[in-house]
């Protein structure tokens, strides 16, 4: 069942509106104007109905009003209707709703209408440049109503996706410390997957647009600000840190929403593009154990599994690349004293061999996809000559391969004889998997392969000899 009623039918509007159609639509200007007028009356202190609160402000919408305002919500996806609403100062009316209404459903619908209107560039610029409206909308992130939070996040993402106004919103958010706390509160406490995905998309877009804001949020967690509250009294939030909040949200979305998991893994990857972000991950109270455990579990037990067809690597290439980037950054950070101690301890969370096995399997699957891709590219070359650039899919696969090879080379270089024997016993290492690893790592990671081969000789001389025969360059 649809959430909102359908807009009025063409016939009904023609009968009701006559010649006052909005633009090229069949919607009546008079009808729309009457809804805006009724909306003003709903939030007017003078209006008293059985559904008002003790303060005199309506807390519930009557069914007829809700149906009508929902029709406007659906109609606002039409540019002519959106322009009409803009012309008659609908955003100002909505600001009055946000300031006075105690009705969550009404607030949700009004934010939703603004979100639809913001899809059109000129209207988006007008909404974005209104400083008062901008501040009021950011305050909606501190709302306790999940549907309102969802529509607010959708509106923010729409504005951040428009290059002409993105910087306005980035600056506005940077100057509002409460946004950080409210976003962290949502990520760490909400169980609404749809909301978590949309908030994640907002954070991902913010970090991608502005490294300074990302650095501020990484260092944040000490500022006190007003957070979600069911009444008008401020509520102090916990001392949020960005990494645990991201991890909590990722755990909520991992099973129900693959796209959402992709978003949160990309946020973690963006954090590792700056030293402060890597340190925020590996210097957490648990030394990064929770982050590593989650990512390790995804790679070794959920994504690109042995019973999956090789083509799965095409579908999962972006999330795999993000996860492996973070794992690679964490592994490279093991030189940190406490991190090194944790890795060397028997209870350490680094379980090298299953991860190495998963990395090699990804490379094997990519080889299978690569053969199919080569055949397809030969056909396309016959149709499209003169194109030397990689298509987008091949480009993402190349990135995944580069990241995978870098992590694998670093891990192979760290293996001991005991680790290698374990890998041989568990089946993660054999002639086939080692050949695949060497094939992809050579010649760029010659030193790592050579180092691993020396250890392999101690564990299985026969296997080492066979690999040397297959890869003559290693004999030099």
């Amino acid at each position: 069942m649809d959430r909102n009623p359908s807009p009025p039918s063409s016939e009904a509007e023609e009968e009701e509106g006559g010649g006052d159609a909005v633009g090229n639509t069949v919607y009546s200007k008079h009808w729309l104007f009457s809804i805006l007028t009724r909306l003003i009356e709903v939030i007017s202190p003078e209006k008293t109905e059985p559904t008002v609160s003790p303060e005199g402000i309506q807390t519930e919408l009557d069914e007829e009003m809700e149906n009508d305002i929902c029709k406007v919500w659906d109609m606002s996806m039409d540019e002519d209707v959106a322009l009409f609403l803009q012309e008659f100062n609908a955003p100002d009316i909505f600001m009055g709703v946000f300031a006075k209404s105690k009705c969550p459903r009404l607030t949700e619908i009004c934010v939703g209408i603004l979100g639809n209107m913001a899809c059109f560039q000129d209207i988006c610029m007008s909404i974005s440049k209104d400083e008062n409206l901008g501040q009021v909308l950011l305050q909606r992130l501190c709302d306790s109503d999940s549907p309102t939070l969802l529509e607010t996040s959708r509106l923010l993402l729409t504005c951040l996706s428009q290059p002409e106004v993105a910087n306005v919103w980035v600056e506005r958010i940077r100057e509002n410390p409460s946004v950080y706390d409210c976003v962290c509160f949502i990520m760490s406490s909400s169980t609404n997957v749809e909301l978590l995905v949309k908030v994640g998309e907002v954070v991902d877009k913010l970090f991608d647009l502005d490294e300074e804001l990302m650095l501020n949020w990484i260092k944040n967690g000490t500022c006190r600000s007003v957070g979600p509250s069911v009444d008008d009294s401020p509520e102090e939030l916990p001392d949020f840190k960005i990494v645990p909040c991201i991890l909590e949200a990722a755990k909520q979305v991992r099973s129900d929403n693959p796209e959402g998991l992709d978003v949160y893994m990309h946020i973690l990857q963006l954090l590792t593009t700056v030293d402060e972000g890597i340190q925020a991950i590996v210097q957490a109270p648990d030394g990064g154990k929770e982050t590593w455990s989650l990512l390790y579990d995804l790679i070794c037990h959920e994504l690109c599994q042995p019973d999956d067809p090789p083509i799965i690597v095409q579908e999962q290439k972006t999330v795999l690349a993000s996860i492996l980037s973070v794992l690679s950054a964490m592994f490279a950070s093991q030189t940190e004293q406490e991190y090194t101690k944790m890795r060397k301890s028997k209870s350490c969370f680094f379980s090298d061999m299953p991860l190495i096995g998963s990395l090699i399997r990804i490379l094997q699957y990519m080889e299978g996809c690569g053969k199919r891709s080569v055949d397809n590219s030969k056909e396309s070359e016959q149709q499209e000559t003169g194109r030397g650039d990689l298509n987008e899919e091949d480009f993402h696969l190349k990135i995944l391969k580069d990241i995978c090879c870098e992590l694998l080379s670093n891990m192979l270089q760290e293996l001991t004889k005991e680790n290698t024997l374990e890998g041989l016993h568990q089946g993660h290492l054999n002639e086939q998997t080692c050949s695949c690893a060497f094939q992809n790592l050579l010649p760029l990671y010659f030193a790592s392969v050579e180092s691993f081969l020396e250890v392999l000789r101690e564990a299985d001389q026969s296997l080492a000899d066979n690999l040397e025969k297959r890869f003559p360059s290693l004999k030099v």
Side-chain angles (χ1 to χ4, degrees):
M1 182 177 178
D2 293 336
R3 177 177 178 79
N4 301 322
S6 300
S9 65
S10 302
E11 293 80 5
E13 286 302 328
E14 286 171 358
E15 291 174 8
E16 185 176 337
D20 69 337
V22 177
N24 293 320
T25 74
V26 295
Y27 304 132
S28 163
K29 291 181 181 179
H30 175 77
W31 184 85
L32 276 169
F33 188 75
S34 70
I35 301 303
L36 293 178
T37 303
R38 286 168 60 195
L39 193 56
I40 295 172
E41 293 173 354
V42 165
I43 59 172
S44 172
E46 290 80 19
K47 183 178 177 63
T48 57
E49 296 282 344
T51 53
V52 298
S53 67
E55 292 81 8
I57 305 299
Q58 189 165 335
T59 57
E60 293 181 12
L61 285 174
D62 61 70
E63 186 176 351
E64 182 184 357
M65 182 61 189
E66 181 172 350
N67 286 338
D68 285 343
I69 195 68
C70 280
K71 290 175 185 176
V72 177
W73 189 357
D74 285 337
M75 292 160 60
S76 62
M77 290 186 288
D78 185 290
E79 186 172 8
D80 286 333
V81 174
L83 288 169
F84 175 84
L85 293 172
Q86 174 78 1
E87 180 184 351
F88 281 88
N89 298 318
D92 290 340
I93 297 173
F94 298 153
M95 270 223 292
V97 171
F98 303 148
K100 298 178 181 180
S101 175
K102 297 284 186 179
C103 176
R105 178 64 170 151
L106 181 58
T107 302
E108 173 205 356
I109 295 170
C110 291
V111 178
I113 295 172
L114 276 177
N116 284 349
M117 293 171 65
C119 293
F120 306 105
Q121 185 178 339
D122 290 344
I123 300 177
C124 186
M125 292 181 68
S126 175
I127 290 173
S128 300
K129 290 178 180 178
D130 187 329
E131 186 61 30
N132 291 331
L133 180 57
Q135 295 296 336
V136 168
L137 288 172
L138 290 185
Q139 289 172 13
R140 297 273 62 78
L141 285 173
C142 296
D143 208 294
S144 59
D145 180 59
S146 290
T148 298
L149 290 171
L150 176 61
E151 293 306 319
T152 304
S153 302
R154 185 174 73 88
L155 171 57
L156 289 176
L157 184 62
T158 299
C159 294
L160 289 169
S161 300
Q162 302 236 15
E164 298 79 10
V165 299
N167 288 339
V168 174
W169 286 98
V170 169
E171 185 64 30
R172 189 173 284 149
I173 290 169
R174 193 190 296 144
E175 293 174 354
N176 279 269
S178 64
V179 174
Y180 169 85
D181 276 350
C182 292
V183 166
C184 284
F185 181 81
I186 294 168
M187 291 193 296
S188 63
S189 63
S190 179
T191 56
N192 185 319
V193 171
E194 189 178 6
L195 171 59
L196 288 171
V197 173
K198 195 59 64 178
V199 167
E201 289 175 343
V202 171
V203 174
D204 188 41
K205 191 69 176 178
L206 283 171
F207 286 3
D208 197 35
L209 286 170
D210 193 76
E211 186 176 292
E212 182 185 344
L213 182 142
M214 181 172 72
L215 287 169
N216 289 342
W217 282 26
I218 291 170
K219 298 171 186 176
N220 213 331
T222 56
C223 299
R224 295 279 48 85
S225 56
V226 175
S229 176
V230 294
D231 50 35
D232 290 332
S233 59
E235 179 180 307
E236 189 175 275
L237 292 172
D239 187 11
F240 286 119
K241 299 292 184 185
I242 190 69
V243 173
C245 296
I246 293 170
L247 293 178
E248 190 59 39
K251 291 174 188 175
Q252 286 289 332
V253 305
R254 66 184 283 188
S255 300
D256 300 323
N257 196 299
E259 293 77 15
L261 180 64
D262 199 342
V263 168
Y264 279 98
M265 293 303 101
H266 190 254
I267 295 173
L268 282 176
Q269 181 185 2
L270 287 174
L271 291 182
T272 63
T273 60
V274 294
D275 289 338
E276 293 87 346
I278 297 173
Q279 297 309 309
I281 293 172
V282 301
Q283 292 184 356
D286 63 356
K289 182 175 180 179
E290 187 178 0
T291 303
W292 182 276
S293 296
L294 173 63
L295 304 189
Y296 170 86
D297 194 41
L298 289 168
I299 288 293
C300 295
H301 300 131
E302 285 193 24
L303 302 172
C304 204
Q305 293 302 292
D307 55 349
D308 289 328
I311 194 68
I312 195 70
V313 78
Q314 296 267 24
E315 299 173 15
Q316 299 175 350
K317 57 184 177 291
T318 55
V319 68
L320 286 170
S322 294
I323 293 172
L324 295 183
S325 288
V326 180
L327 290 174
S328 185
M330 293 181 72
F331 195 89
S333 297
Q334 63 182 287
T335 50
E336 294 289 337
Q337 185 177 4
E338 291 303 315
Y339 210 50
T340 305
K341 286 180 183 177
M342 180 171 290
R343 188 172 189 278
K344 289 180 178 178
S345 71
K346 290 184 179 179
S347 61
C348 123
F349 55 88
F350 282 96
S351 184
D352 292 343
M353 295 318 308
L355 181 54
I356 286 175
S358 295
L359 295 175
I360 295 174
R361 181 167 60 251
I362 290 170
L363 292 173
Q364 288 175 319
Y365 282 8
M366 290 181 71
E367 287 179 353
C369 291
K371 291 175 184 175
R372 191 174 293 124
S373 178
V374 168
D375 294 338
N376 292 338
S377 65
K378 285 180 180 177
E379 292 180 14
S380 62
E381 279 176 15
Q382 294 173 354
Q383 302 170 356
E384 229 182 299
T385 57
R387 258 190 88 191
D389 295 338
L390 291 172
N391 60 41
E392 185 177 353
E393 189 171 88
D394 291 337
F395 176 72
H396 285 297
L397 284 174
K398 183 180 184 305
I399 290 176
L400 173 59
K401 180 180 177 180
D402 291 345
I403 296 168
C404 191
C405 286
E406 180 182 4
L407 178 55
L408 180 60
S409 70
N410 288 336
M411 297 188 77
L412 289 179
Q413 211 162 15
E414 293 291 320
L415 290 183
T416 63
K417 178 183 176 181
E418 290 72 22
N419 297 143
T420 305
L421 286 169
E422 177 190 357
L424 291 167
H425 176 70
Q426 294 176 350
H428 299 300
L429 296 179
N430 53 47
E431 188 166 346
Q432 182 185 16
T433 58
C434 289
S435 295
C436 175
F438 288 11
Q439 182 72 40
N440 285 278
L441 294 177
L442 293 173
L444 185 60
Y445 297 102
F446 182 87
S448 296
V449 173
E450 188 178 43
S451 170
F452 168 65
L453 194 59
E454 287 298 320
V455 176
L456 185 60
R457 278 197 189 95
E458 298 178 31
D460 190 330
Q461 180 69 50
S462 175
L463 176 56
D465 291 342
N466 289 342
L467 289 168
E468 276 193 336
K469 291 176 184 176
R470 295 190 66 170
F471 298 91
S473 64
L474 293 172
K475 293 180 180 179
V476 178

